[in-house]
């Protein structure tokens, strides 16, 4: 037998079967901690003979983002340091197994958001552990798990075809894209974000494990941005082209703006989506090598912003208004009309909430060049009016197109938030 | 442009003149024959005179464009006469003249997509030009129905020829153009995505490199003056790449892209990047 038993044999309290949660509850009140000290608590529920102490107290409030709520977390939540995005295909049929999956996922996601493991561990040595274990002892690191339904979920497999929101369709083809099946689509999309990559990966892994027999992974992409540790000021992050990305995002603090730009309303055509949001995900490869040999002037003219400050060309500060009519002393526009900011900003009427991450996928085996870029994610109330309208404009004339290539694409209808006792997607079924 | 908020006006004016922001005045205001580019400049950091270099490059572009129209006409005639095999033979060599001067053509706005757009580059209804016909010849194996596209292509080629003399070529366009030519190779030719149906990517590859090499040859004396090591490095890497391409020559042209092995493609791509990186530093001859 293991050291674990040896160790706990002397201790009468250990003879009583206790679940990990009991321990946490006790520890939270300080009772067990006082009785045993942290080391013993750790020994109680660590499967290996690992004597290291586990932080048994409840995670600090700033590390926890509640899973339950009116809206799903992970949408207007300030972006965490890392993402692990997973798209699933449902292999089972019938809505029953699908509902069961969402119930299971909901309970697990809510537990993980609290820094807990995904289920009750038994002490049975003949069983594999319920949780895969790599997040034991880690705080939840602002973990959010955001679920959405792909357009394919509304085919005839689950009896949901009549529920498909009218504005929720496959995206049209855009100029210049080269979409690859291995980075596109999915019946269900799960955006997992956390300030720790291992915590994020753990969530995806365990959700995939629970889904076995009902759903399989279709594609997974990890992503990162500069960490809060590296930039405590929380300034606008830079993308891998070296430019600030996200300056023009709408303020998530304005409920009114979010209702207008991000949150689907029950009156929009699908009552079950009220309080949800539509997500567009694009895996955008950056032609890093080409960008790196472009002159600073080319780079700045491409974005329409200064690289150093992020200010619009012709202006001084990052958040100065983008004035497309401003001219230089020769009468030429400061900001080229086909620059990224000029097209994306336009007249300001097209808005969406971007929540993108950089990705690095090793090298392109064919050319030996870096496979790196942007995992673009945007949330909007209406995909056609917002994302599609914007992307049609950009794909036609954006100067940035010379340096990027859209290789993956998916859209998901992200459910409204679940309340305790309910589950993610319950408004749909 | 960024410097206009930082630098005193005097410096600003000088830098604008030679950085490509104020090209017109700089290039065209001086009708006198230019001094050869190799003339020693004074020790003061006076900017180089590129008049002769620009003239030399303009002549090259015009000459390539003349040949482009001529060879395109042979190609479109073959298409219209229903001579499938002949059209296929003329396709890649005609395109090479265009590929050598592509950045110049791109400066003319819509002409490039009209002549050279690939299937996904533009809306289906607007797709025309070489690649449209390429698809018919290689995939559909027929010239039928291509007459209109052939006529249009020849007209677009002639329009390019007519417009090319009006292009405002400056040293900055040449410097960035040389890199852009290699970028073209990097993003589509080396991956076999440019010639999706004919697999004649290596013709374009070689032509793009030749176009970049021509610009380098013209600007070489200035580069050498500014940075002799850089000039040597670029020259060496052009030689390496050309030598590598040599191995894929077949008759008057190049082997089919599909004959390339994975490791050969990767090596071509990496040698291309190895050349393009120092080549992008040619910009130092332009000043700040």
């Amino acid at each position: 037998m293991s050291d674990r038993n040896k160790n706990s044999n002397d201790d009468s309290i250990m003879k009583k079967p206790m679940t990990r949660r009991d321990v946490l509850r006790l520890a939270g009140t300080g009772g067990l901690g006082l009785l045993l000290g942290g080391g013993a608590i750790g020994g109680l529920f660590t499967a290996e003979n690992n004597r290291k102490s586990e932080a048994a107290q409840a995670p600090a409030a700033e590390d926890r983002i509640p899973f339950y709520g009116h809206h799903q977390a992970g949408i207007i939540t300030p972006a965490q340091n890392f993402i692990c995005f997973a798209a699933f295909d449902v292999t089972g049929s019938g809505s029953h197994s699908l509902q069961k999956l969402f119930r299971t996922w909901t309970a697990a996601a809510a537990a993980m958001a609290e820094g807990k493991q995904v289920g009750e561990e038994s002490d049975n040595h003949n069983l594999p552990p319920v949780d895969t274990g790599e997040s034991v002892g880690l705080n939840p690191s602002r973990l959010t798990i955001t679920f959405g339904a792909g357009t394919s979920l509304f085919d005839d497999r689950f009896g949901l075809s009549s529920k498909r929101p009218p504005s929720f369709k496959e995206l049209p083809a855009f100029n210049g894209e080269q979409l690859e099946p291995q980075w596109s689509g999915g019946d269900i999309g799960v955006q997992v974000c956390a300030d720790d990559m291992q915590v994020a990966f753990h969530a995806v892994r365990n959700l995939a494990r629970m889904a076995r027999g009902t759903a399989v992974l279709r594609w997974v992409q990890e992503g990162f941005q500069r960490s809060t540790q590296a930039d405590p000021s929380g300034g606008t992050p830079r993308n891998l082209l070296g430019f600030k990305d996200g300056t023009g995002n709408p303020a998530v603090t304005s409920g009114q703006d979010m209702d207008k730009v991000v949150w689907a309303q029950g009156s929009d055509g699908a009552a079950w989506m009220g309080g949800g949001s539509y997500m567009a995900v694009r895996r955008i490869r950056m032609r890093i090598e080409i960008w790196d040999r472009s002159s600073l002037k080319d780079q700045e003219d491409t974005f329409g912003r200064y690289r150093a400050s992020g200010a619009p060309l012709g202006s001084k500060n990052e958040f100065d208004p983008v004035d497309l009519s401003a001219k230089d002393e020769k009468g030429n526009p400061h900001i080229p009309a086909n620059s990224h900011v000029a097209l994306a900003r336009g007249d300001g009427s097209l808005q969406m909430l971007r929540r993108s991450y950089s990705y690095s996928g090793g090298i392109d085996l064919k050319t030996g060049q870096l496979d790196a870029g942007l995992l673009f994610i945007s949330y909007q109330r209406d995909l056609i009016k917002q994302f599609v309208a914007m992307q049609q404009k950009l794909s036609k004339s954006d100067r940035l197109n010379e340096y990027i290539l859209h290789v993956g694409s998916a859209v998901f209808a992200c459910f409204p938030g679940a309340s305790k006792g309910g589950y993610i997607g319950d408004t749909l079924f | 442009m960024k410097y206009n908020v930082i630098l005193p006006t005097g410096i600003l004016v000088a830098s604008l003149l030679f950085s490509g922001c104020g090209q017109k005045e700089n290039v065209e205001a001086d009708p006198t024959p230019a001094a050869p580019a190799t003339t020693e400049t004074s020790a003061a950091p006076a900017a180089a005179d590129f008049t002769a270099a620009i003239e030399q490059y303009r002549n090259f572009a015009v000459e390539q464009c003349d040949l482009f129209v001529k060879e395109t006409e042979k190609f479109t005639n073959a298409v219209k006469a229903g001579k499938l095999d002949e059209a296929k033979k003329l396709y890649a060599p005609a395109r090479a003249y265009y590929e050598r001067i592509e950045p110049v053509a791109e400066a003319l706005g819509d002409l490039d997509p009209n002549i050279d757009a690939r299937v996904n580059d533009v809306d289906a209804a607007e797709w025309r030009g070489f690649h449209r016909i390429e698809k018919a010849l290689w995939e559909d194996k027929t010239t039928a129905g291509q007459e209109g596209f052939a006529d249009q292509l020849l007209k677009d080629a002639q329009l390019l020829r007519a417009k090319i003399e009006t292009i405002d070529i400056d040293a900055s366009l040449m410097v960035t153009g040389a890199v852009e030519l290699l970028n073209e190779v990097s993003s589509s030719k080396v991956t076999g995505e440019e010639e999706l149906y004919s697999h004649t990517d290596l013709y374009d590859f070689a032509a793009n490199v030749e176009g970049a090499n021509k610009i380098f040859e013209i600007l070489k004396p200035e580069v050498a003056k500014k940075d002799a090591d850089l000039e040597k490095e670029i020259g060496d890497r052009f030689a390496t790449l050309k030598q590598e391409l040599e191995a894929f020559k077949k008759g008057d042209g190049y082997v089919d892209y599909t004959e390339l092995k994975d490791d050969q493609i990767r090596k071509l791509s990496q040698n291309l990047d190895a050349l393009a990186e120092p080549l992008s530093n040619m910009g130092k001859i332009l000043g700040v």
Side-chain angles (χ1 to χ4, degrees):
Chain A
M1 296 301 276
S2 75
D3 287 346
R4 186 174 54 153
N5 286 357
K6 244 193 285 164
N7 254 292
S8 53
N9 272 346
D10 311 327
D11 220 318
S12 62
I13 195 167
M14 290 305 188
K15 293 195 175 114
K16 277 200 279 180
M18 283 180 81
T19 67
R20 182 177 183 276
R21 276 179 210 189
D22 290 331
V23 177
L24 278 175
R25 213 175 293 128
L26 267 169
T29 64
L32 191 69
L34 286 174
L35 266 172
L36 300 174
I41 301 170
L44 185 64
F45 49 72
T46 306
E48 295 79 40
N49 60 356
N50 176 358
R51 300 282 94 204
K52 289 246 173 67
S53 91
E54 177 181 352
Q57 68 271 36
E62 65 263 27
D63 295 328
R64 265 181 306 149
I65 295 172
F67 178 75
Y68 294 108
H70 179 55
H71 302 297
Q72 285 198 76
I75 298 175
I76 61 169
T77 309
Q80 298 93 324
N81 295 342
F82 301 100
I83 189 172
C84 188
F85 194 99
F88 289 87
D89 279 339
V90 182
T91 50
S93 60
S95 83
H96 181 73
S97 64
L98 192 56
Q99 285 177 60
K100 197 176 151 204
L101 176 65
F102 278 124
R103 278 204 191 90
T104 311
W105 273 357
T106 300
M112 288 188 282
E114 295 288 318
K116 297 172 185 164
Q117 306 298 288
V118 295
E120 314 256 324
E121 294 292 355
S122 76
D123 282 339
N124 190 336
H125 279 211
N126 298 311
L127 292 177
V130 175
D131 189 285
T132 58
E134 70 269 36
S135 69
V136 168
L138 305 182
N139 80 46
S141 309
R142 297 173 64 234
L143 174 74
T144 58
I145 305 177
T146 313
F147 297 92
T151 52
S152 50
L153 203 70
F154 298 93
D155 59 16
D156 51 13
R157 284 173 296 165
F158 310 103
L160 295 173
S161 50
S162 64
K163 298 282 186 69
R164 189 179 56 76
S167 68
F168 186 53
K169 300 174 190 161
E170 278 302 298
L171 296 176
F174 297 108
N175 288 349
E177 67 186 6
Q178 281 180 31
L179 301 184
E180 298 165 15
Q182 73 262 34
W183 297 115
S184 299
D187 290 336
I188 299 171
V190 186
Q191 173 202 274
V192 177
C193 296
D195 285 336
D196 183 274
M197 193 66 226
Q198 186 148 319
V199 167
F201 175 81
H202 167 264
V204 166
R205 176 183 178 186
N206 281 272
L207 295 179
R209 183 183 180 197
M210 288 169 208
R212 280 174 199 146
T214 309
V216 293
L217 283 168
R218 182 185 173 98
W219 57 272
V220 173
Q221 179 63 61
E222 294 175 356
F224 57 91
Q225 56 166 334
R226 53 89 184 106
S227 68
T228 38
Q229 192 183 9
D231 179 11
S233 75
T236 311
R238 289 176 187 273
N239 59 30
L240 296 185
L241 300 182
F243 280 67
K244 296 190 176 187
D245 195 343
T247 304
N249 249 348
V252 296
T253 44
S254 160
Q256 222 177 353
D257 281 0
M258 292 299 100
D259 274 345
K260 205 176 88 193
V261 176
V262 174
W263 302 124
Q265 306 294 311
S267 54
D268 286 352
W272 65 268
M273 266 299 282
S277 186
Y278 296 96
M279 182 202 328
V281 194
R282 308 279 286 184
R283 189 179 193 267
I284 306 174
R285 170 139 180 224
M286 291 170 170
R287 300 189 194 279
I288 298 266
E289 289 77 3
I290 292 182
W291 179 260
D292 292 347
R293 54 190 183 234
S294 300
S295 70
L296 179 61
K297 176 165 165 48
D298 267 351
Q299 294 189 358
E300 293 186 334
D301 281 350
T302 296
F303 272 99
R305 290 183 181 277
Y306 295 113
R307 188 171 97 138
S309 65
L313 296 183
S315 301
K316 280 218 156 63
N317 303 309
E318 180 188 353
F319 293 99
D320 285 349
V322 177
D323 180 0
L324 299 179
S325 61
K327 305 260 196 320
D328 63 18
E329 64 278 12
K330 290 184 166 306
N332 298 318
H334 274 298
I335 302 175
N338 60 354
S339 65
H340 187 65
V341 75
L343 289 162
R345 181 59 56 97
D347 61 3
S349 62
L350 270 184
Q351 283 196 300
M352 57 181 74
L353 180 66
R354 284 168 294 150
R355 212 174 179 288
S356 307
Y357 287 83
S358 297
Y359 78 83
S360 163
I363 63 168
D364 178 333
L365 291 177
K366 188 169 198 175
T367 61
Q369 295 181 321
L370 280 165
D371 174 13
L374 189 74
L375 185 66
F376 171 93
I377 295 177
S378 69
Y379 286 96
Q380 46 265 305
R381 181 173 166 184
D382 187 307
L383 278 168
I384 297 174
K385 287 185 194 150
Q386 294 168 272
F387 177 77
V388 173
M390 174 72 77
Q391 190 51 31
Q392 267 165 348
K393 217 160 55 149
L394 292 178
S395 66
K396 277 209 169 83
S397 23
D398 189 355
R399 203 162 162 152
L400 191 55
N401 292 338
E402 197 180 329
Y403 305 102
I404 61 173
L405 184 63
H406 288 238
V407 296
S409 176
V411 287
F412 298 102
C414 295
F415 307 107
S419 47
K420 273 183 192 162
Y423 62 95
I424 277 298
D426 56 5
T427 55
L428 174 62
F429 297 100
Chain B
M1 291 304 291
K2 172 173 168 275
Y3 297 99
N4 59 10
V5 288
I6 301 165
L7 299 176
T9 325
I11 301 176
L12 170 68
V13 171
S15 76
L16 274 180
L17 264 173
F18 301 107
S19 69
C21 304
Q23 56 268 50
K24 256 182 206 158
E25 298 77 344
N26 180 22
V27 174
E28 289 173 358
D30 182 7
T32 55
T38 45
T39 300
E40 279 296 322
T41 48
S42 62
D49 179 358
F50 293 106
T51 318
I54 290 164
E55 214 36 51
Q56 219 179 325
Y57 186 63
R58 185 188 300 280
N59 290 341
F60 170 75
V62 168
E63 166 204 293
Q64 290 296 307
C65 204
D66 278 336
L67 290 164
F68 173 57
V69 174
K70 198 172 136 203
E71 297 304 310
T72 299
E73 188 166 12
K74 284 187 201 162
F75 168 68
T76 56
N77 281 343
V79 171
K80 288 169 70 180
K83 296 174 177 167
L84 181 65
D85 287 340
E86 194 185 327
K88 283 165 87 167
K89 219 184 289 171
L90 293 169
Y91 171 81
R95 287 179 48 72
Y97 298 102
Y98 182 79
E99 294 290 341
R100 282 187 199 106
I101 56 169
E102 201 166 356
V104 182
E106 279 179 350
L108 290 170
D110 274 353
L111 274 176
D112 181 57
N114 287 347
I115 292 172
D116 198 30
R118 291 175 298 157
V119 60
N120 282 334
D121 288 342
V122 293
D123 290 344
E126 289 165 19
W127 190 34
R128 60 202 246 195
F130 272 109
H131 294 299
R132 178 79 191 224
I133 303 173
E134 178 205 359
K135 181 172 187 285
L137 300 184
W138 271 271
E139 192 167 80
D140 310 333
K141 300 181 175 56
T142 178
T143 58
Q146 299 305 304
E147 298 78 6
F149 292 121
D151 284 339
Q152 235 175 5
L153 175 59
L154 182 58
K155 259 186 236 161
D156 288 333
Q158 288 161 340
L159 190 58
L160 175 70
R161 174 61 187 87
K163 282 188 167 180
I164 200 152
E165 292 184 60
T166 68
I167 294 183
D168 187 18
I169 298 178
D170 64 359
S172 169
L173 179 87
M174 292 173 68
V175 166
T176 52
V179 180
E180 270 167 35
L181 279 160
L182 298 190
N183 291 347
E184 288 283 331
V185 181
S186 198
S187 50
S188 61
K189 278 94 182 190
V190 80
T191 56
E193 289 161 28
E194 176 77 9
E195 307 289 358
L196 222 42
Y197 316 101
S198 65
H199 307 302
T200 54
D201 303 85
L202 285 185
Y203 285 77
D204 304 329
F205 189 132
N208 283 157
V209 173
E210 286 156 14
N213 195 30
K214 180 71 190 182
I215 295 173
F216 171 63
E217 289 297 331
I218 294 173
L219 296 176
K220 199 156 101 170
E222 283 302 322
V223 179
K225 254 191 268 175
K226 264 270 175 337
D227 185 339
D229 290 344
L230 178 66
E231 184 263 328
K232 184 178 183 317
E233 187 173 43
I234 296 173
D236 288 350
R237 291 189 184 175
F238 262 121
T240 306
L241 191 62
K242 275 192 275 185
Q243 194 184 6
E244 208 187 337
L245 271 173
E246 201 65 26
F248 302 110
K249 272 211 167 134
K250 187 179 177 185
D252 292 336
Y254 290 89
V255 301
D256 192 287
Y257 181 83
T258 55
E259 287 179 33
L260 296 182
K261 294 188 184 71
D262 288 351
D263 59 331
Q264 292 174 325
I265 293 171
R266 197 198 272 206
K267 205 169 152 214
L268 279 170
S269 166
Q270 289 171 331
N271 280 340
L272 187 95
D273 282 340
L275 163 63
E277 195 67 29
L279 193 70
S280 68
N281 284 324
M282 267 203 317
K284 57 171 65 167
I285 62 175
L286 300 172
V288 188

